[in-house]
Amino acid sequence: MLQDLDSLSARIGQLVQLVQRMQSDRASLQARVTSLEQERNALRDQLSRQQSAQQEAIEQVRDHAGQMDALRKQAEAAEAQLRDEAARYRADYEAARQGLQASQDESGRLRTAALAAQQRIDAVLMRLPGAPQE
């Protein structure tokens, strides 16, 4: 009977050691789980911040794209306006050039006419009585 009690006591001692080891393992695993949960939460927060930053960057890209479109439309409108203005200036220049040419042609005709008139006047004056003879 004593032998049975010793055997039982040894078995209880082994069970106590096993329970203590399991409690220690449980505490270790619980600490590991807590550590992993903290790491997971930190990674989740980091991911959230990165997603927010990414979303902000996407919004900035969209805003800049909208601004670029608006600026491109303004530039195209300004270019069209400048082209129209240049066409008007070319037309004004061509009209002024033609007017100048016509004026120069008219001036040449008037000079020729004035010279011819001067020559006729001189001829008439030469034929008048008392005109100096050359």
Side-chain angles (χ1 to χ4, degrees), residues 14-77:
Q14 289 175 347
L15 280 174
V16 166
Q17 287 177 352
L18 183 63
V19 167
Q20 287 174 345
R21 195 173 348 117
M22 290 180 131
Q23 285 177 341
S24 174
D25 288 348
R26 181 182 177 274
S28 174
L29 288 172
Q30 187 63 39
R32 179 81 172 127
V33 166
T34 302
S35 172
L36 289 173
E37 285 176 345
Q38 289 173 346
E39 186 179 345
R40 180 203 63 205
N41 290 340
L43 289 172
R44 186 182 290 153
D45 290 344
Q46 182 182 358
L47 177 63
S48 177
R49 284 190 305 273
Q50 287 176 346
Q51 286 175 336
S52 294
Q54 182 183 19
Q55 191 61 37
E56 285 180 30
I58 289 170
E59 289 300 319
Q60 285 180 348
V61 166
R62 285 184 184 144
D63 289 346
H64 290 161
Q67 290 173 357
M68 290 295 293
D69 285 343
L71 289 173
R72 185 174 53 253
K73 287 178 184 176
Q74 282 180 339
E76 288 171 354

Side-chain angles (χ1 to χ4, degrees), residues 13 17-18 28 46 61 75 81-82 85 87 93 103 134:
Q17 287 177 352
L18 183 63
S28 174
Q46 182 182 358
V61 166
Q81 182 181 4
L82 288 173
E85 211 171 299
Y93 164 78
S103 188
E134 292 185 19

